[in-house]
Structure formats: C-alpha cells, structure tokens
C-alpha cells in the first residue's frame, strides 16, 4: 500500500513494516516520521488499539538516520535502534547482519542439549527429540540472516 510518494507499507500478520527512500536524508526522515505518526494515530484513535512503545523500533541504513526519524516524530512511539525483530527474525538496515536472535536461540538450545544428554545417559533414544528441538531453535529465519561458521560447529 502506497501511503506517501516515497513511503510504502507492508503488513505481515501483526508486524507492520514502513519503508521510505529518497536522496535527501532530512526529507526522507521527515516523510517517514509523518507516515509513522499517521499510522499510529489511525491505529490508536480509529481502531482503538495500542501501539507498543517497547516493541516498535525504527531502523535505518545508518543509526543516525534512525535517530533523525525518531526525533522528527510527534507520537514518540518508536525507538531508534541498530536492529529489530520482525516475525522472529532479526532485521537490520543497510548491509549489517543481525545475529542476536540466532545467538539467543543457540544459547537456549544448549540448555536443552544438556537435558537431552541426560535423557540419553538414562537410556532414552533421543535422536528424534534432538532433531525436533535443535533445527527449529537455530534454523528459524536462517534464510533471512544466514548461518555463520560458528553456528554450524
């Protein structure tokens, strides 16, 4: 859906992505901030829903761009960050690769792996259990941010 000339929106389940592009940083930040304010106002006043200030972030090709959008906004519902989470996958602006979510999932799986090893020591066959918990844990959204060498070890 095209909201402004250089701003577009996409809604995935309950995640709304608003993106803007342009040659001038100040105009692009102002347009994006106006679009976010408009959408927040529609969600809160027309639909009578709440926009979470903790989960709503703005990510730019640089952190300065994200901060410019945050400062241009009136609603103060988003926070400028270097990366965000969308549908469980890490999303970043520019060419950066986000690995925080993958690292967190890998850490959670290590705790599960210890319990699985304990079951194996007790005589339980754990091959299917390890496969059913391991791959979804750190294989989710790998098509978005890829596997690093350390994740494969």
């Amino acid at each position: 859906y095209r909201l402004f000339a250089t701003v577009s929106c996409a809604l995935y389940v309950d995640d709304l992505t608003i993106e803007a592009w342009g040659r001038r940083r100040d105009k692009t930040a102002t347009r994006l901030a106006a679009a976010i304010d408009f959408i927040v106002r529609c969600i809160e006043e027309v639909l009578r829903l709440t926009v979470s200030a903790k989960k709503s972030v703005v990510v730019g090709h640089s952190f300065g761009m994200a901060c410019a959008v945050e400062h241009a906004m009136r609603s103060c519902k988003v926070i400028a960050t270097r990366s965000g989470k969308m549908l469980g996958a890490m999303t970043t602006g520019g060419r950066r690769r986000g690995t925080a979510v993958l690292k967190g999932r890998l850490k959670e799986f290590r705790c599960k792996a210890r319990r699985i090893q304990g079951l194996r020591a007790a005589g339980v066959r754990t091959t299917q259990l390890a496969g059913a918990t391991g791959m979804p844990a750190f294989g989710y959204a790998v098509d978005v941010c890829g596997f690093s060498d350390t994740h494969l070890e």
Side-chain angles (χ1 to χ4, degrees):
Y1 180 73
R2 190 59 70 82
L3 188 63
F4 294 90
T6 58
V7 177
S8 68
C9 303
L11 181 66
Y12 305 100
V13 187
D14 64 344
D15 284 342
L16 179 64
T17 301
I18 307 166
E19 55 186 24
W21 57 93
R23 294 179 189 263
R24 294 190 50 197
R25 178 179 161 168
D26 56 339
K27 284 190 175 185
T28 304
T30 305
R31 281 192 204 115
L32 183 56
I36 293 170
D37 285 334
F38 173 76
I39 290 172
V40 167
R41 193 169 47 253
C42 287
I43 290 172
E44 293 190 333
E45 294 175 8
V46 176
L47 299 175
R48 297 181 192 264
L49 298 171
T50 305
V51 175
S52 172
K54 292 181 181 178
K55 294 181 185 179
S56 303
V57 298
V58 61
V59 178
H61 71 279
S62 67
F63 186 61
M65 179 65 175
C67 290
V69 173
E70 180 185 15
H71 292 302
M73 288 183 53
R74 294 181 183 160
S75 62
C76 300
K77 286 287 185 171
V78 299
I79 301 165
T81 61
R82 297 184 191 282
S83 62
K85 199 171 168 184
M86 186 171 71
L87 293 176
M90 192 63 128
T91 182
T92 59
R95 299 180 189 166
R96 290 186 306 270
R97 182 172 174 261
T99 59
V101 174
L102 282 174
K103 288 178 183 178
R105 288 202 171 116
L106 189 59
K107 186 177 177 181
E108 288 176 11
F109 179 70
R110 285 188 182 135
C111 296
K112 292 177 186 176
R114 289 187 190 108
R115 288 185 272 165
I116 291 171
Q117 288 171 348
L119 288 172
R120 186 179 302 146
V124 177
R125 293 192 305 177
T126 59
T127 307
Q128 288 182 337
L129 181 63
T133 58
M135 265 324 277
F138 58 91
Y140 182 79
V142 77
D143 53 336
V144 175
C145 48
F147 269 132
S148 68
D149 293 341
T150 56
H151 282 107
L152 296 173
E153 292 175 355

